[in-house]
Amino acid sequence: MIPIEHNIAVTRARINRAADLYDRKRSTISLLAVSKKHSLDAIKEAIAAGVIDFGENYLQEAEQKIQQLREFSLRWHYIGGIQSNKTQAIADLFDWVHSVDRVKVAKRLNDQRPPTLPPLNICLQVNIDNEQGKSGFAPENILPVIAEINALPRLQLRGLMAIPAQSDNESDRQNSFARMRTLFELAQASIDWQSSRTLFDTLSMGMSADLEFAIAEGATIVRVGTDIFGSRDEPTSK
Ligand SMILES: *Cc1c(COP(=O)(O)O)cnc(C)c1O
């Protein structure tokens, strides 16, 4: 078994190499370690390697992990599908939500964010390839939605997130990331963010298989699971 610490070093080196290649400042790209379906021990190994940002998709699993890792100063990112009846728990537990895909969900998270916590950082998920059955806002609807959600005081609208369509053709994914970049730039230009209380600075895209393409198109958070923790069918630790 290859240690997680080594996998993290390799992933960071990939990020840095892509940053240099595509003229991005290394410091503007952060690594989100996607720990879904992996054990507490695996997460602790990543913590020992300096990771503080973890992504989870399943609420019950995340609740337990967050509870049991309370002694560490971590940032928890919810990246899974959101059912309306789960928003309270998400608002209670997480620092970031990348997968906000409906105005109704944003409003519930805003209303339910506990007053003792700072505003919840969110990204709006975009269904960039207009896939049937995939969550996310349609690209053509995003601008009016941004204005509406940016007005919610208990949220910090930080940017956009996407999961491009599965494709064996690399240029399809590059193309999806490029359209996300254009949309992100349009969104940045659509609001006077300087005088807004929020920094609209986050483009969450790129996973184990394609983070270089995402960085080429401006990703500021890459979400990496498999290449850090191993396959989710055969967890690296018990
Ligand atoms: C599981 C998941 C990831 C990580 O994918 P890998 O291919 O394992 O790196 C990233 N983003 C989201 C939204 C996920 O659900």
Side-chain angles (χ1 to χ4, degrees):
M1 182 190 109
I2 301 174
I4 286 168
E5 183 182 8
H6 172 82
N7 293 341
I8 290 168
V10 170
T11 303
R12 289 205 169 113
R14 277 175 71 192
I15 293 170
N16 287 339
R17 196 173 336 111
D20 296 349
L21 185 61
Y22 298 111
D23 257 328
R24 302 277 319 279
K25 254 206 211 116
R26 291 180 173 192
S27 63
T28 62
I29 304 160
S30 55
L31 171 62
L32 175 59
V34 177
S35 45
K36 64 176 176 224
K37 303 224 178 132
H38 289 286
S39 67
L40 277 185
D41 286 347
I43 296 176
K44 284 181 183 164
E45 281 187 57
I47 294 170
V51 173
I52 55 173
D53 289 284
F54 290 91
E56 289 282 340
N57 295 54
Y58 308 107
L59 200 53
Q60 275 197 330
E61 180 188 336
E63 258 169 339
Q64 294 194 354
K65 289 173 174 173
I66 293 169
Q67 177 67 34
Q68 285 165 2
L69 294 166
R70 243 163 228 263
E71 67 193 277
F72 302 98
S73 284
L74 305 175
R75 284 189 297 248
W76 291 96
H77 300 241
Y78 189 76
I79 61 174
I82 305 178
Q83 293 162 285
S84 294
N85 63 349
K86 299 291 168 58
T87 51
Q88 180 70 64
I90 294 171
D92 287 342
L93 287 168
F94 285 86
D95 303 294
W96 282 73
V97 180
H98 292 229
S99 44
V100 173
D101 62 347
R102 302 186 304 284
V103 173
K104 178 184 167 194
V105 161
K107 288 185 171 157
R108 288 177 67 93
L109 291 170
N110 176 71
D111 294 345
Q112 294 169 338
R113 180 67 165 172
T116 50
L117 295 177
L120 181 63
N121 294 291
I122 65 158
C123 293
L124 304 183
Q125 183 170 351
V126 178
N127 185 359
I128 190 63
D129 295 309
N130 291 307
E131 291 174 271
Q132 282 262 313
K134 178 96 150 239
S135 10
F137 292 98
E140 58 275 20
N141 293 342
I142 204 78
L143 294 185
V145 164
I146 282 174
E148 187 176 0
I149 292 179
N150 189 44
L152 299 172
R154 298 295 296 146
L155 303 180
Q156 299 252 36
L157 176 54
R158 297 294 298 270
L160 303 179
M161 179 273 226
I163 309 168
Q166 292 284 346
S167 166
D168 293 333
N169 186 347
E170 289 189 339
S171 68
D172 287 346
R173 253 181 292 174
Q174 281 176 291
N175 189 275
S176 307
F177 290 139
R179 280 180 281 112
M180 278 303 293
R181 178 208 282 267
T182 304
L183 203 59
F184 183 58
E185 288 171 354
L186 275 174
Q188 281 182 318
S190 77
I191 283 184
D192 180 8
W193 298 101
Q194 293 296 336
S195 54
S196 133
R197 71 203 152 75
T198 298
L199 277 176
F200 193 83
D201 57 359
T202 302
L203 190 48
S204 167
M205 62 185 193
M207 314 200 289
S208 294
D210 53 21
L211 66 89
E212 285 84 0
F213 294 140
I215 288 170
E217 298 297 344
T220 66
I221 298 182
V222 294
R223 309 179 307 265
V224 180
T226 308
D227 281 4
I228 290 177
F229 295 109
S231 139
R232 286 180 284 273
D233 300 321
E234 310 161 67
T236 49
S237 320
K238 330 99 283 166

